[in-house]
């Protein structure tokens, strides 16, 4: 792909992340993926919540909505239902999506809306200066957990699998080329797609660093993984330790919500006309 | 006590006995006789086990509330008599199934006619069909001198298909009840003219939903919550017919954020809830204010605090609506005063939302949302759709500034998908381009100024919107001794009280507020400054509107009728209070 | 401009360069010299990339705000000069690293002394250690005629272990900076008496957290949100030491409901958040009101609306706090006015919560929460713990009514685990026993009455609580031309402005409100009725306290100083406004 | 167990559920379970949200908290942390717990607080007169989904399994004796226990009736299920159709949150003394 294509998605605003932050890799990956799919920026809506990671829409040239902490998914859902022609991508953090936003995350997956959700998973609350996040491993010490976390971390991949997501994947900020392919597949996938990204917070997480991940990362497609097997996917979602898989865990086809909704059979909502103001039609039932 | 020119009926029964739907058919019977009709339904949270009742008032003249007194009590279950018998006006009637009140047991009032019908026995031949209600309504039809044919048309509307057994049996039962009544009872002898020109009969929620689809609402999201749920039910039932996408969300946080997302993408979007759900929505309403997204939120209030009495009414959430979400941001609050006005207010709300690119809250309540009222034929065309300042999409997109500083504070809005006008709508403070300034820019002198200007830009819109916010005119006598001040749904009882007092030669008038925020203080001061004495009438404990009025105009109303027991206000309560205040008692 | 008797220093640097902590060590240097010290820190949301600065003011006399003017600008990064150079008072000093501002480039003011130090070069021998800040602070110590020993004690506090390299290197660097300064620069020549009696130096959030643990708070839940997060950090760090269970929840809904659950089970419980999180909590605050559960909620306000400017201050959430949750229910709102008062208010809040069995909101803001202030030694024993009316557990549990109607509205509270006094705390409306009446009872006359009485019982508590709500006394000249009216954190700048005006012979006084709800209207009217002219000072756009005051007293303040650009109010702004209002300009 | 023992838990308030409602069975099951374990009512705290099912605490003789819709879990968590001597049981509906409360549900499981959560799962929102709930099957028609639901239902068992619940079970209102045993085991289990109960709504759900369940119900302990195998549990959680398993899907031991929290090492919070008001201790750090 030519750099000029990626430049299409270059915003005038420069990212303000800490030097080395994993989120740079995600931004690069998303640009590249959009370039691969050659989507016109006007047809992309990037929605986010609040967090370092949620600042991403400001650094990407497309339409965007930088909403409230934890509420990106419902905003994106509403936008997608209103204009199903848009490519709706949600970008955010683990706190935003797996913490405060967890309920929305699970519910959107059972709906199978055609939305791509990219979570920059760094195990901490970066923007609020480093408290524990739901993916932090047991024992992790932060400002808000000085004795070490005593909760089990969320397993977002497993959660997505049992919640009905039709595309479940993982990427790593240290490998934006691989990530771009995963994101491109996710966007292309008709239905809800999750891309959980190991995106190191170089400032507040000294455990889950690039150095931690790099030797452990193993690509699913290089290990003969069957992306159509839910069972295999669940099993692999628990792999942690010496080998941590990235790539596509699971992909299946199920009609999207947009395809099944009766009203959307007549095309995107915003292209549909208001109802005719005919008393015969509108008032009869009240006689 | 009902006047000669009106009839008030109350139907009571155990929850699950169909009291409400029996009442609704009586209401339809009235409206199809051409009567102005109003109902009030009292019910509880439990699906079974409680006692429900519905009051129906009809008159050839316009009526404004459920009214006072009772001409006829229709008894569906034995406890109904215990609870309501004493409420029957002298000369009134109690109509009951002989088996529910054995031999008219305990019906001892001399000034009330006891009319028993062996409805259970009469109904036996229809097997398990719960048909006693229909028999009783048949009897009532005769008692009110109404037409059986019209009742049959109502039964048809309710049970549908003309040839179904259930339709046929109900018609037969109605006929039998009518005949029994004719043979055994004298009609009530009210002298009412029936025109037989059917009137539109609907609830506030019906009118609001109808108004919304008429306004081009394309996206409706909700999470069930009494008394807003019936909007959801109506919308869902009409979703394909009117092409409105209806989405039940996982909670109110999702619901309001979905509506905002849909609105951002260009669809007219609405959601509705009650107090508790509104509390959850409040953060996102601020988001709509900050991102300048037009969205309509209905808050149908019920008795609080907390879960409170989910099936009872209150006007207790005004402070919550005023204070919704942190800091100051543009928002508009409208409180429709009648069922009819619910229709027009929905239209207006969408236009105001688009015009000022801000959230608009429609403040309803259980009483207004759920009671049936006849409305004069709605003028469907009176409020044309106006989508406000949309960016035309011409010119070079590079100059496009979503949050441009303008004279009015309103900036042209582009819609995602439009070529060349990309922008990010941020909940963080931002510059004209929508670039967030909270991350690395705030605190630097230039951006301190931009922050202040952006705040002023947004709030400027509310100064302009003030032109659209109307003060109520004084309704009633010019030289009244006293002015009743209310807002929203209390208009009905207040109007009826004014009329009743007039009958007694006491001249009062009323100022009923609909436009609550931004509060048109100057105009309101002008109106109220003409008044001799003020009496505040509100359905809450603390007189919340009184606080708003005082805050913005300095007018502190000393005399107050505040009701917070869950029941709607009755005209007679206002009459009593007025007399007390002006020293007539 | 700083007076002879005080010193104001500002430290600026790129985010991540340690400006804030350098500022804090200067503040500690001041407080250990026995100076009354106050700071203000300006920073942004991004972890890196922005520009941060901190202002430190010290004086042998009591000072109340960050003050106006600048004696010394300490430059950590090149843009610091661009942004702050013009702010240095005539006769002031700019102190900088020679390498950051090459040869004093662009430092052209004749009325400012330019003092450059080759700090980078001097620091080189310490390897990668970011030591230039320490060198500069060493230099500053000499310029202010302060003691190097005291600086060493500060370094020890910061870097801990006496024998660590990092401690040793920093002490050396401080010494070098001091020496360089001594050899090359003249001290500022301020005539200040240093007593060397160290003062307690803390932020509002420190004081609040300390107050809470002193009050016996045993459960603290929070979800991170600036500017409340530092309470969480402090509590977490002291959790085992003071036996306070600290729980970070998954969101603010969880947080407040956890605190309510803990309170119901008998622990003193607190949670804290800022505006957006508070919006999410609002439904549950009503729940605490309805179930009569004592809980303390801290709302530290920041610039809104929506996400707004997370690191900037505002007093914009008063309406939100007043309107939190549907309907009317008992709640108390307290706005501490100084860091010291944060401590006592926390104690008071827990007692009031237990006494009235209701939620108590502490309204703080970023300015109050985060700035450092020296406080006179705290009287830890001044507020004894009072758990309110707890059921003694004697007698036959069968008579126990959790929600008993009493004279005061307060009913004796039993705690789960207590034998024989089982009850359910319901968010539905309920009778004296706590039995829900919404399911099958409401609407029936007897229960209509119980509902009304239960509402009155709850609100009665607020009438009684009114006795504990104090009106502010007038501070300053009795016969002042004008009274400044403010609430909460603006007390500092207002006090300083009053003093500054006094110097110019202009007599104004001030009324600073702390007790906001239930609003002690009568007492406040009495205080304000003595005043000739009022000027409202608030850190928000719409004058929210002014609205509250007008709503409850009818007093509408025409003259207003409203600030909503995210920055705190400076005394000089008040001075200017006062002169304008009383016609001295 | 003697009836007198069950009568201990009899409240003076009679249930107001529709005749035949499944929730009667749950109330009976809970009473019986409490009787089996012989817990003093004063030591039980039953917490609920809002819904028909959430009215249960009012009908059970113990301490109770009938809170807000969807927030029972955090209230219960706070209470348990404040007084870890209490037996905390949460009772509620599928809407309350798997709809609006879903985020809390997942997060409490990774905490492994020693709480028992009984969900009366009826596929609808009963109290609000019959809208669709998150466990409703595809195609289910309600007032709010007249065209039939187009979302996949929540699988609460699978969700619980991947979220770290240490005791995951299911019961059926039509078999309160079996249910009582399951609930008793759940309460006895140290750590978070879920009891998902098929509790038919006879008024609004004409699909998932007693008649629907009765022939399909199959007891896990009668089919050689290994309750210690997560894999087996997940597999069985997907069984639907002709055979629907009830009983204990999974049980494991993991230290409870209460056991791991440093502060609770000194005993229940409400029994701990306020800090001594000693300036030397409290003020030193601010010097
Ligand atoms: C309702 C609400 N609560 C809290 C906050 C404060 N807040 C902002 S970002 C954030 C966490 C961010 O963590 P994450 O989503 O993981 O993003 P990261 O910064 O790690 O990329 C929080 C708690 C908020 N903005 N709104
Ligand atoms: C915040 C809020 N939103 C909505 C409601 C209305 N509401 C009460 S119960 C209920 C659903 C109950 O469903 P479920 O939990 O499944 O209980 P069931 O009645 O089926 O037993 C809803 C939506 C509420 N009380 N509070
Ligand atoms: S704090 Fe962490 S997540 Fe935030 S920008 Fe810096 S490195 Fe990235
Ligand atoms: S409506 Fe359904 S869930 Fe509610 S009580 Fe009746 S049967 Fe039970
Ligand atoms: Mg994160
Ligand atoms: Mg249910």
């Amino acid at each position: 792909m030519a750099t000029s294509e990626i430049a299409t998605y270059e915003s005038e605003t420069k990212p303000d992340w800490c030097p080395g932050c994993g989120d740079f890799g995600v931004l690069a990956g998303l640009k590249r993926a959009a370039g691969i799919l050659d989507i016109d920026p006007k047809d992309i809506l990037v929605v986010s919540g609040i967090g370092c990671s949620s600042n991403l829409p400001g650094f990407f040239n497309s339409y965007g909505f930088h909403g409230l902490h934890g509420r990106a998914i419902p905003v994106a859902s509403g936008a997608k239902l209103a204009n199903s022609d848009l490519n709706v991508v949600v970008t955010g953090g683990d706190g935003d999506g797996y913490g405060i936003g967890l309920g929305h995350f699970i519910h959107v997956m059972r709906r199978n809306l055609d939305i791509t959700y990219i979570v920059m998973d760094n195990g901490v609350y970066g923007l609020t200066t480093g408290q524990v996040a739901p993916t932090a491993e047991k024992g992790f010490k932060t400002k808000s957990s000085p004795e070490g976390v005593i909760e089990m971390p969320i397993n977002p991949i497993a959660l997505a699998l049992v919640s009905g997501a039709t595309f479940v994947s993982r990427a790593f900020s240290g490998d934006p080329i691989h990530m771009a392919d995963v994101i491109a597949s996710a966007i292309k996938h008709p239905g809800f797609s999750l891309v959980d990204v190991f995106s190191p917070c170089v400032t507040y997480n000294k455990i889950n660093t690039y150095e931690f991940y790099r030797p452990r990362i193993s690509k699913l497609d290089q290990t003969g993984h069957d992306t159509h097997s839910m069972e295999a996917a669940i099993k692999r979602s628990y792999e942690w330790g010496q080998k941590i898989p990235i790539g596509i865990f699971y992909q299946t086809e199920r009609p999207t919500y947009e395809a099944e909704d009766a009203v959307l059979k007549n095309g995107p909502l915003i292209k549909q006309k208001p109802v005719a103001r005919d008393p015969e039609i509108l008032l009869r039932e009240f006689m | 006590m009902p006047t000669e020119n009106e009839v008030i009926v109350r139907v009571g029964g155990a929850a699950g006995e169909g009291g409400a739907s029996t009442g609704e058919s009586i209401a339809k019977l009235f409206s199809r006789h051409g009567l102005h009709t109003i109902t009030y339904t009292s019910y509880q949270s439990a699906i079974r086990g409680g006692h429900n009742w519905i009051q129906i008032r009809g008159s050839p003249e316009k009526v404004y509330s459920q009214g006072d007194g009772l001409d006829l009590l229709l008894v569906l279950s034995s406890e109904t008599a215990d609870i309501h018998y004493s409420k029957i006006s002298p000369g009134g009637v109690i109509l009951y199934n002989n088996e529910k009140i054995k031999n008219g047991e305990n019906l001892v009032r001399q000034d009330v006619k006891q009319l028993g019908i062996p409805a259970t026995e009469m109904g036996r031949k229809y097997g398990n069909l719960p048909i006693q209600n229909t028999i009783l309504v048949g009897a009532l039809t005769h008692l009110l001198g109404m037409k059986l044919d019209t009742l049959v048309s109502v039964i048809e509307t309710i049970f549908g298909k003309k040839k179904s057994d259930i339709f046929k049996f109900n018609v037969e039962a109605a006929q039998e009840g009518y005949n029994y009544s004719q043979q055994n009872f004298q009609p009530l002898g009210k002298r009412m003219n029936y025109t037989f020109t059917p009137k539109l009969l609907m609830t506030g929620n019906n009118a609001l939903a109808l108004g919304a689809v008429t306004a081009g609402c394309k996206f409706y999201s909700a999470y069930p919550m009494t008394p807003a749920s019936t909007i959801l039910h109506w919308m869902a039932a009409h979703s394909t017919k009117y092409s409105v996408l209806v989405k039940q969300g996982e909670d109110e946080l999702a619901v309001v954020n979905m509506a905002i997302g849909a609105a951002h993408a260009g669809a007219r979007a609405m959601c509705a809830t009650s107090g508790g759900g509104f509390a959850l929505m409040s953060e996102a309403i601020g988001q709509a204010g900050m991102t300048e997204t037009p969205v309509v939120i209905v808050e149908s209030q019920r008795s609080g605090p907390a879960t409170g009495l989910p099936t009872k009414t209150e006007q207790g959430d005004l402070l919550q609506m005023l204070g919704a979400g942190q800091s100051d941001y543009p928002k508009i609050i409208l409180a429709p005063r009648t069922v009819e006005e619910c229709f027009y207010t929905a239209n207006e709300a969408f236009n105001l939302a688009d015009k000022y690119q801000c959230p608009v809250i429609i403040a309803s309540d259980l009483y207004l949302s759920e009671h049936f009222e006849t409305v004069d034929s709605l003028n469907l065309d009176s409020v044309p759709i106006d989508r406000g300042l949309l960016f035309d999409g011409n010119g070079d997109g590079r100059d496009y500034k979503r949050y441009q500083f303008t004279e009015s504070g309103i900036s042209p809005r582009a819609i995602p998908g439009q070529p060349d006008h990309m922008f990010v709508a941020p909940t963080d403070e931002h510059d004209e381009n929508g670039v967030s300034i909270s991350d690395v820019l705030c605190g630097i002198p230039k951006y301190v100024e931009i922050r202040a200007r952006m705040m002023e830009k947004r709030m400027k819109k509310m100064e302009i919107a003030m032109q659209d916010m109307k003060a109520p005119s004084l309704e009633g006598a010019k030289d009244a001794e006293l002015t009743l001040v209310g807002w929203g749904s209390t208009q009905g009882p207040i109007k009826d009280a004014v009329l009743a007092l007039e009958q007694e030669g006491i001249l009062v008038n009323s100022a009923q507020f609909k436009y609550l925020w931004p509060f048109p203080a100057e105009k309101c001061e002008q109106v109220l400054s003409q008044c001799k004495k003020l009496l505040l009438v509100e359905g809450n404990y603390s007189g919340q509107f009184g606080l708003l009025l005082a805050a913005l105009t300095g007018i502190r109303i000393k005399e107050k009728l505040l009701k917070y027991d869950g029941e709607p206000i009755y005209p007679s309560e206002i009459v009593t209070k007025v007399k007390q205040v002006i020293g007539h008692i």
Side-chain angles (χ1 to χ4, degrees), chain A, chain B:
Chain A
M1 180 183 11
T3 346
S4 73
E5 276 165 26
I6 293 178
T8 314
Y9 309 102
E10 201 84 47
S11 152
E12 282 167 32
T13 311
K14 293 289 148 273
D16 50 27
W17 293 308
C18 307
C21 175
D23 299 350
F24 284 103
V26 178
L27 178 61
L30 179 60
K31 284 182 190 163
R32 203 180 159 87
I36 291 172
L37 301 173
D38 197 19
I39 316 177
D40 190 329
K42 81 169 174 54
D43 295 324
I44 308 179
L45 176 68
V46 186
V47 180
S48 72
I50 297 295
C52 292
S53 41
S54 293
N55 287 346
L56 190 143
F59 315 137
F60 185 83
N61 181 42
S62 75
Y63 283 96
F65 192 97
H66 184 187
L68 295 173
H69 185 48
R71 312 298 164 211
I73 289 283
V75 167
S77 301
K80 182 72 188 180
L81 289 171
N83 184 357
S84 37
D85 284 347
L86 287 175
N87 292 281
V88 178
V89 176
V90 179
T91 58
D94 43 4
D96 194 73
Y98 305 150
I100 190 169
L102 186 62
H104 307 310
F105 173 54
I106 309 274
H107 283 290
V108 75
M109 292 190 283
R110 59 195 198 87
R111 285 182 194 131
N112 200 30
L113 277 157
D114 186 11
I115 288 176
T116 296
Y117 187 25
I118 304 172
V119 181
M120 287 157 260
D121 187 347
N122 57 12
V124 288
Y125 285 11
L127 191 58
T128 46
T129 74
Q131 300 83 3
V132 60
T135 51
E137 286 176 72
K138 261 195 120 170
F140 187 54
K141 292 186 182 183
T142 69
K143 283 179 185 170
S144 60
S145 61
E147 317 281 321
V149 183
I150 59 176
E151 296 166 333
M152 243 185 65
I154 289 277
N155 180 338
I157 302 292
L159 271 177
L161 290 167
V162 302
S163 302
T166 48
F167 183 105
V168 182
S169 68
R170 191 191 271 152
F172 171 44
S173 280
D175 191 345
I177 305 285
H178 172 263
M179 188 196 320
D181 289 337
V182 173
I183 294 178
S185 308
I187 294 177
K188 222 163 55 193
H189 171 78
F192 187 87
S193 48
L194 171 71
V195 188
D196 182 76
V197 183
F198 294 137
S199 181
C201 171
V202 297
T203 305
Y204 296 111
N205 189 334
K206 306 297 184 191
I207 306 288
N208 306 107
T209 58
Y210 292 99
E211 296 66 43
F212 171 88
Y213 287 117
R214 214 163 259 130
R216 291 178 167 82
I217 286 307
S218 92
K219 292 190 177 145
L220 283 164
D221 57 2
Q222 292 171 6
T223 56
H225 172 65
D226 174 7
T227 58
H228 296 288
S229 158
M230 170 71 113
E231 224 177 300
I234 291 188
K235 190 172 262 164
R236 307 229 42 182
S237 78
Y238 278 93
E239 285 181 13
W240 193 260
Q242 288 322 91
K243 284 263 168 272
I244 302 175
I246 63 171
I248 301 170
F249 284 81
Y250 185 66
Q251 180 164 20
T252 190
E253 277 197 31
R254 211 173 82 217
T256 63
Y257 192 95
E258 303 92 290
E260 299 226 286
D261 185 277
V263 173
L264 294 184
K265 300 248 181 323
N266 309 320
L269 219 48
I270 63 160
K271 296 204 175 134
Q272 294 188 33
K273 291 241 163 55
V275 69
R277 295 186 168 191
D278 181 348
E280 264 312 293
I281 297 169
L282 290 165
L283 302 182
R284 177 175 287 276
E285 68 180 286
F286 301 107
M287 292 288 187
Chain B
M1 182 147 57
T3 66
E4 268 306 285
N5 206 19
E6 64 175 348
V7 58
I8 302 184
V9 171
R10 197 179 275 189
V11 182
E17 278 190 324
S21 67
T22 302
E24 283 165 31
S25 29
I26 297 174
K28 258 203 155 39
L29 182 69
F30 282 21
S31 66
R32 290 195 185 170
H33 276 78
L35 297 183
H36 295 273
T37 307
I38 292 197
T39 72
Y40 167 69
T41 303
S42 168
Y43 64 108
Q44 293 100 10
S45 267
I47 306 308
R48 306 249 174 143
H51 172 78
N52 294 350
W53 54 271
I54 174 166
Q55 177 158 321
I56 312 104
R57 180 189 190 194
S59 169
E61 318 268 280
K62 184 104 180 110
V63 287
Y64 300 100
S65 74
Q66 71 281 10
D68 285 289
L70 217 56
D71 289 306
L72 190 153
L73 176 66
L74 200 159
V75 175
L76 301 183
S77 65
S78 54
E79 87 283 2
T80 303
D82 304 338
I83 298 171
H84 305 282
Y85 188 50
S86 65
K87 297 269 164 44
I88 302 171
S89 300
V93 167
I94 179 165
L95 179 64
Y96 58 94
N97 180 338
N98 268 339
E99 271 192 31
K100 299 276 162 146
I101 307 179
K102 290 257 159 37
N103 311 318
E105 249 171 25
N106 298 326
L107 301 182
V108 294
R109 283 178 61 184
Q110 299 300 324
D111 58 347
V112 168
K113 271 191 269 184
Q114 344 277 358
L115 309 182
I117 300 187
T120 304
E121 221 182 282
M122 288 161 73
R124 203 150 284 151
K125 62 172 164 298
Y126 303 106
N128 279 331
L129 229 59
I131 216 146
Q132 66 143 321
N133 299 8
T134 308
I135 295 170
L136 291 167
V137 175
L140 171 141
T141 304
H142 165 257
L143 287 175
L144 300 180
M146 291 185 166
K147 272 210 187 149
L148 189 60
D149 279 4
T150 312
L151 179 58
V152 170
S153 81
V154 172
I155 293 173
E156 193 190 325
T157 304
I158 293 169
F159 294 105
K161 309 170 216 99
K162 266 212 146 162
K163 272 165 204 142
S164 71
D165 272 0
I166 185 157
F167 167 73
K168 240 176 49 203
F169 290 156
N170 271 283
V171 170
E172 270 174 49
Q175 174 87 55
E176 279 191 68
Y178 187 90
N179 292 349
Y180 186 95
S181 183
Q182 204 169 28
Q183 282 150 25
N184 297 284
F185 310 144
Q186 283 294 323
L188 249 66
K190 292 256 171 181
R191 251 155 290 282
M192 274 186 292
N193 262 331
Y194 300 135
T195 65
F196 296 101
T197 313
K199 292 190 178 298
L200 298 173
L201 182 73
M202 56 178 76
T203 65
N205 277 355
N206 287 156
L208 210 90
L210 186 70
V213 302
T214 311
C217 173
K218 285 284 153 205
F219 185 90
Y220 179 78
S221 50
Y223 186 73
M225 190 162 196
T226 309
S229 301
T230 47
I231 304 178
L232 170 61
H233 303 160
W234 191 92
M235 285 289 201
H238 294 75
S239 163
T240 50
K241 184 169 175 198
Y242 298 144
S243 261
V244 184
L245 196 150
V246 176
K247 185 80 211 79
Q248 179 177 321
E250 58 271 27
D251 60 20
E252 288 87 352
L253 301 163
V255 159
V256 66
N257 279 287
M258 282 177 178
I260 290 168
H264 177 74
R268 279 198 155 178
M270 180 167 100
C271 59
T273 187
S274 187
F278 187 87
L280 294 173
M281 290 185 179
S282 60
E283 189 195 13
I285 297 173
Q287 165 179 254
M290 185 59 146
T291 56
E292 308 200 31
T293 308
V295 64
V296 177
I297 299 117
V298 180
E299 215 247 75
S300 182
Q301 302 158 92
R302 67 190 206 191
S303 292
T307 310
L309 293 172
T311 62
K312 294 289 155 186
T313 200
E314 193 172 301
Q315 296 185 297
D317 303 354
L318 181 56
L319 291 181
Q320 168 167 263
M321 292 182 240
L322 290 169
Q326 63 272 27
S327 189
D328 294 298
Y329 61 88
K331 68 166 172 265
I332 292 173
I333 306 176
L334 308 174
R337 295 164 293 192
T338 63
V339 166
E340 185 176 338
E341 202 165 66
C342 283
F343 174 82
Y344 297 112
T345 303
N347 277 271
E348 198 182 355
F350 278 103
N351 281 355
L352 289 171
D354 271 339
K355 184 166 175 189
Y356 298 108
Q357 300 178 13
C358 75
V360 177
I361 299 165
I362 299 180
S364 183
D365 56 33
L366 183 135
Y367 178 64
L368 183 58
S369 280
E370 296 193 343
H371 86 258
F372 283 88
E373 201 172 307
T374 45
V375 303
D376 299 324
S377 185
L378 294 170
N379 181 350
L380 297 180
D381 290 320
S382 60
V383 191
I385 292 175
D386 176 359
R387 296 299 313 260
L389 199 59
L390 290 172
F391 198 78
D392 57 12
N394 292 329
D396 182 356
R398 280 181 195 281
D399 294 338
Y400 178 64
K401 294 185 157 120
R402 169 64 186 98
Y403 298 103
Q404 195 176 2
F405 292 132
T406 62
E407 193 67 24
S408 63
I410 302 167
S411 321
R413 188 158 84 98
I415 302 291
Q418 206 165 316
D420 292 335
H421 295 82
M422 275 84 73
F423 71 96
V424 178
T427 57
D428 281 85
E429 191 56 281
H430 44 267
D431 67 11
E432 288 181 88
N433 288 302
V435 173
S436 168
I437 65 170
S438 53
D439 286 333
V440 294
L441 301 170
C442 68
I444 293 168
K446 179 178 158 195
Y447 288 93
V448 172
E449 200 191 310
I450 287 182
R451 149 67 178 180
R453 284 189 67 191
M454 202 45 87
M455 198 73 186
E456 285 153 10
K457 165 206 159 22
R458 282 189 298 266
M459 297 308 283
K460 188 66 199 285
K461 298 195 290 184
M462 290 299 97
E463 279 169 45
I464 312 281
M466 201 63 99
Q467 296 161 11
D468 290 321
M469 303 293 113
K470 301 182 199 87
S473 49
L474 289 179
E475 298 273 331
K478 267 244 127 171
D479 50 348
E481 280 181 74
L482 179 141
T483 301
L484 295 159
V485 177
W487 61 285
S489 73
T490 52
Q491 165 153 315
I494 287 178
K495 272 205 170 176
D496 274 336
V498 170
L499 292 176
L501 285 161
E502 204 179 69
Q503 295 286 325
E504 301 190 41
I506 303 173
L507 292 189
V508 307
N509 59 17
S510 68
Q512 192 71 15
F513 288 77
K514 170 184 171 185
Y515 296 89
L516 302 184
W517 195 262
F519 190 71
E522 275 179 42
K523 296 180 212 169
C524 292
E525 255 182 289
Q526 264 170 34
V527 172
L528 295 183
S529 64
Q530 305 162 36
C531 305
K532 293 196 189 129
K533 196 178 189 115
L534 304 175
L535 170 59
L536 181 69
V537 179
E538 289 196 64
N540 62 49
Y541 182 91
S542 61
Q544 300 190 354
F545 176 76
L547 293 175
L548 173 63
L549 184 71
L552 273 302
T553 65
I555 300 173
R556 282 199 290 168
I557 305 184
K558 300 248 158 51
E559 299 293 348
K560 295 174 193 163
L561 169 57
L562 301 174
K563 200 171 177 190
Y564 43 84
D565 61 7
E567 301 301 312
I569 294 174
Y570 284 80
S572 58
E573 295 169 325
I574 301 171
V575 166
T576 306
K577 181 75 184 179
V578 166
K579 288 182 183 170
Q580 202 180 301
V581 169
I582 61 177
H584 281 234
I585 291 183

